[in-house]
Amino acid sequence: MTDCLVKTARAEGFLGMYRGAAVNLTLVTPEKAIKLAANDFFRQLLMEDGTQQNLKMEMLAGCGAGICQVVVTCPMEMLKIQLQDAGRLAVCHQGSTAALPTSRSYSMGSTHGRPSAIVIARELLQTQGLSGLYRGLGATVLRDIPFSVMYFPLFAHLNQLGVSQRTGKATFMHSFLAGCTAGSVAAVAVTPLDVLKTRIQTLKKGLGEDTYSGVTDCARKLWTQEGPAAFMKGAGCRALVIAPLFGIAQGVYFIGIGERILKYFE
């Protein structure tokens, strides 16, 4: 992780580490809104008051939330991965034009070889239709369902430990820490599926890099060529990202900022 950070900063500058930030800023809000609201909806649907402890129903509600969120998650990560990979491709292009594939899924654009999310999305839609933006949908579903199945019950049980009898709610800090803990555990657990999803969604390949026909093909090639350790690549990074992301999301969600904003407009 440190080696990647240093090399990225040297090759692309400080802002190179924020490639794909605009896509995240645009789509992570509806993604988390769908995920949290869907989990609450399914909890209410499957359990009498939505707050009782029932592990099987909590896992099922998490499963429903994971399915719902992929509508936004898949295209968001598809675009984000292409933008984040643009720096590597630019270095390959400078070193050897042969490092780039002969068949392009999208053009690199004219602005210093750095495509924008709008350009990538438009060209994917023109060349491959809607399925282009949803490449890797199966792998995304396979990752997000287990994540939500683990995350939501774990968070609910950790958060319940800090619920005050007087207010009926946990403090912001307790919900934040519960979200961080549950998020990091679930993120590390599903890292192998995230690795497969990322490999499949990386459209442009360098010289000698494999292409994959699906999840099974990707898993087989990864196992035979890189070994079992390859399935846990980036686990530390995912834990560092997902922990505060879900900690903040759950903390804000549970202190009711959304409800206060809605009341202001009523």
Side-chain angles (χ1 to χ4, degrees):
M1 181 169 59
T2 304
D3 181 53
C4 181
L5 176 67
V6 171
K7 288 180 178 177
T8 301
R10 285 176 180 172
E12 304 175 53
F14 177 76
L15 293 179
M17 294 181 287
Y18 283 87
R19 289 187 185 275
V23 174
N24 266 354
L25 286 171
T26 304
L27 297 178
V28 77
T29 299
E31 182 207 34
K32 291 296 174 284
I34 292 170
K35 190 183 190 80
L36 296 173
N39 179 69
D40 273 3
F41 171 78
F42 286 117
R43 284 177 66 95
Q44 294 286 346
L45 189 66
L46 296 168
M47 294 182 281
E48 290 181 2
D49 59 1
T51 60
Q52 65 195 71
Q53 301 286 309
N54 186 323
L55 183 58
K56 290 182 179 179
M57 292 298 103
E58 288 174 336
M59 293 173 69
L60 194 56
C63 177
I67 293 172
C68 291
Q69 77 169 82
V70 297
V71 175
V72 176
T73 304
C74 190
M76 177 183 76
E77 298 213 357
M78 181 69 181
L79 296 174
K80 182 186 70 173
I81 287 170
Q82 311 321 311
L83 292 170
Q84 290 179 338
D85 201 38
R88 179 183 67 87
L89 293 169
V91 171
C92 289
H93 180 71
Q94 291 170 2
S96 172
T97 54
L100 290 176
T102 55
S103 173
R104 291 188 163 199
S105 298
Y106 60 87
S107 65
M108 291 297 290
S110 58
T111 310
H112 308 293
R114 297 180 180 180
S116 69
I118 295 174
V119 169
I120 296 173
R122 184 174 63 244
E123 294 193 9
L124 283 172
L125 288 170
Q126 289 174 348
T127 58
Q128 302 179 32
L130 193 60
S131 62
L133 284 176
Y134 280 89
R135 180 186 176 93
L137 177 62
T140 306
V141 171
L142 288 176
R143 181 200 65 174
D144 287 348
I145 289 179
F147 179 93
S148 296
V149 166
M150 285 184 280
Y151 171 78
F152 283 110
L154 181 56
F155 169 78
H157 285 257
L158 291 175
N159 193 65
Q160 187 64 31
L161 297 175
V163 172
S164 169
Q165 292 183 351
R166 182 175 60 85
T167 62
K169 284 188 175 183
T171 63
F172 173 85
M173 185 54 64
H174 186 89
S175 290
F176 172 78
L177 293 174
C180 286
T181 303
S184 59
V185 170
V188 172
V190 301
T191 294
L193 297 166
D194 183 67
V195 170
L196 296 177
K197 181 198 68 66
T198 301
R199 295 292 182 99
I200 292 170
Q201 287 187 323
T202 302
L203 294 177
K204 297 173 96 41
K205 305 291 184 180
L207 186 66
E209 289 184 334
D210 280 314
T211 57
Y212 310 106
S213 60
V215 176
T216 304
D217 181 56
C218 182
R220 180 180 57 80
K221 289 179 178 177
L222 199 62
W223 180 275
T224 56
Q225 295 174 11
E226 301 181 44
F231 288 92
M232 292 304 294
K233 286 183 176 181
C237 287
R238 277 184 56 75
L240 288 175
V241 170
I242 297 296
L245 175 65
F246 276 89
I248 294 168
Q250 291 284 187
V252 171
Y253 188 68
F254 270 78
I255 62 176
I257 288 181
E259 287 86 344
R260 295 177 190 179
I261 294 174
L262 290 174
K263 286 181 181 178
Y264 177 79
F265 288 101
E266 287 179 355

